[in-house]
Amino acid sequence: MEDQKKKKASVPGPSATETAQDRVQQAEDLALKNAAAFFGSALLKYLGISQSVSAVMPTEMVRLEVRHMYEDFNFQTADGAWLHFEFESDALSLADLKRFREYEATTSRTHEVAVTTCVLCSAGQSSVKNSFHEGINTYRVKLIRLKRKSADPVFCRLKEKQKKGETMTQEDLFPLLLSPLMSGKLTLTERFLEGFQLLKAAENDIGHECLARMQALLYVFAGKFLNKDDLQKVKEVISMTILGEMLVKDGLDQGIRQGIRQGEEKLGRLIQLLIQNSRSDEISRAVTDRQYQETLYQEFGL
């Protein structure tokens, strides 16, 4: 039997009973896993974790009874220990903590390493359970609350650097990818609008490939977190990005208005499928290479 988190999709595509909240949580989870894969060192530093990453480690553990356990992400630190990451968008339950304890114990025994579990939680509750006592033991995870961070200073710093004409680094821009999960005075729509504009302005600093990856991640979030009217506002900004250029090409092929709408949905679905199938490294090429994009559409039946 497979032991997977209830919100993890085992096959591409939403089920008939899947709710809008399920899709939002899945998109958030996928985007965070993708961010961890591409920007591991930046992620740890931004979250206040002092260890330095030396490698990305396996996340699928197989026990003797052929029971699969799917973890979200594992890093190996410079001292040989492992940091096990789980991304959660709702409050932690006792079942969640017991599942993390099982992951941790199996990973430690299988690979003979010390493991620390870090749970990156974006739930809005003021208090989230991070430990439980059972028998003579207490199990605890390192809880990281994104809602306790404000997105406002992130945008203020980047705007100030842009105003002064200073170079934007990948490390500077990385918090933009997590800004939709934070608190702050800026609305979600404002964060996406300004996020895409700041990324576009930094293209010469971070390079075409890195820009495409960051835009793709923001695009996944925007498509799931915003309502129809707010998403339309964001699409106007997206039209001036690498993603937008590709969507316009799709629109010209199929009839401008309807074609662009269908192109947006199609490309967004392709990005999600690449993440789900552990092929995140192909996102930038899928966004910028039209011929390769068509090959992937055929492969995934889109």
Side-chain angles (χ1 to χ4, degrees):
M1 294 179 60
E2 293 187 349
D3 178 23
Q4 303 182 42
K5 290 192 294 187
K6 58 181 177 298
K7 65 186 178 187
K8 303 279 187 182
S10 58
V11 295
S15 67
T17 58
E18 186 180 33
T19 66
Q21 182 62 28
D22 289 334
R23 292 193 294 272
V24 167
Q25 291 177 349
Q26 183 185 43
E28 177 180 328
D29 188 71
L30 289 171
L32 285 169
K33 290 180 73 172
N34 195 25
F38 281 129
F39 311 109
S41 296
L43 175 65
L44 265 59
K45 183 175 181 180
Y46 186 75
L47 297 177
I49 298 175
S50 60
Q51 290 99 321
S52 59
V53 172
S54 63
V56 173
M57 307 308 289
T59 57
E60 180 179 344
M61 305 299 156
V62 184
R63 296 176 62 179
L64 290 178
E65 61 268 35
V66 195
R67 181 160 150 266
H68 289 69
M69 292 182 285
Y70 294 95
E71 303 175 359
D72 277 349
F73 219 84
N74 285 322
F75 289 114
Q76 183 182 59
T77 60
D79 62 1
W82 282 30
L83 288 176
H84 164 218
F85 269 83
E86 290 291 327
F87 305 127
E88 296 290 329
S89 53
D90 49 4
L92 301 184
S93 65
L94 178 60
D96 289 328
L97 291 171
K98 287 191 173 184
R99 174 164 48 83
F100 299 157
R101 180 181 64 173
E102 185 177 10
Y103 289 168
E104 192 173 298
T106 303
T107 302
S108 177
R109 183 175 181 181
T110 301
H111 297 277
E112 298 184 350
V113 292
V115 181
T116 299
T117 297
C118 304
V119 181
L120 203 159
C121 180
S122 59
Q125 290 89 335
S126 58
S127 178
V128 175
K129 185 181 184 68
N130 71 332
S131 65
F132 71 93
H133 187 78
E134 191 170 69
I136 63 171
N137 301 308
T138 297
Y139 176 73
R140 180 179 292 105
V141 298
K142 180 178 177 62
L143 189 64
I144 302 170
R145 301 295 309 279
L146 284 178
K147 285 295 182 183
R148 292 178 179 173
K149 290 180 176 287
S150 172
D152 300 336
V154 172
F155 289 94
C156 286
R157 283 195 301 270
L158 292 174
K159 288 180 181 178
E160 187 64 25
K161 292 196 72 170
Q162 186 182 58
K163 184 178 179 181
K164 294 179 178 179
E166 298 178 1
T167 299
M168 299 272 200
T169 66
Q170 177 179 301
E171 191 174 78
D172 290 331
L173 294 164
F174 177 76
L176 284 178
L177 306 181
L178 301 181
S179 66
L181 309 176
M182 301 178 188
S183 61
K185 295 180 180 179
L186 288 174
T187 65
L188 271 177
T189 304
E190 290 171 335
R191 295 178 207 178
F192 285 116
L193 288 172
E194 296 187 16
F196 278 111
Q197 291 171 338
L198 286 166
L199 286 176
K200 176 62 177 177
E203 180 174 1
N204 291 334
D205 296 334
I206 62 175
H208 194 75
E209 182 177 349
C210 184
L211 176 65
R213 290 174 177 174
M214 287 187 165
Q215 287 178 346
L217 288 170
L218 269 188
Y219 183 76
V220 171
F221 274 136
K224 296 299 181 180
F225 280 97
L226 299 181
N227 60 40
K228 183 178 180 180
D229 293 335
D230 289 335
L231 184 58
Q232 185 56 45
K233 298 176 185 177
V234 173
K235 288 176 181 177
E236 295 174 4
V237 177
I238 292 177
S239 67
M240 298 179 289
T241 68
I242 296 172
L243 283 171
E245 293 170 2
M246 187 64 70
L247 294 176
V248 169
K249 289 178 182 177
D250 285 339
L252 291 172
D253 290 340
Q254 303 176 41
I256 297 297
R257 291 189 178 178
Q258 181 180 1
I260 289 178
R261 178 181 60 78
Q262 292 175 345
E264 289 168 348
E265 296 173 352
K266 192 175 181 181
L267 183 57
R269 183 62 185 142
L270 176 61
I271 292 170
Q272 287 184 309
L273 287 171
L274 287 173
I275 296 172
Q276 286 177 331
N277 287 275
S278 301
R279 294 168 61 178
S280 301
D281 56 330
E282 298 177 49
I283 288 177
S284 58
R285 185 180 175 189
V287 171
T288 58
D289 186 333
R290 180 60 182 274
Q291 184 175 355
Y292 187 62
Q293 182 186 114
E294 290 298 328
T295 299
L296 291 174
Y297 282 156
Q298 292 180 17
E299 178 183 342
F300 287 107
L302 296 176

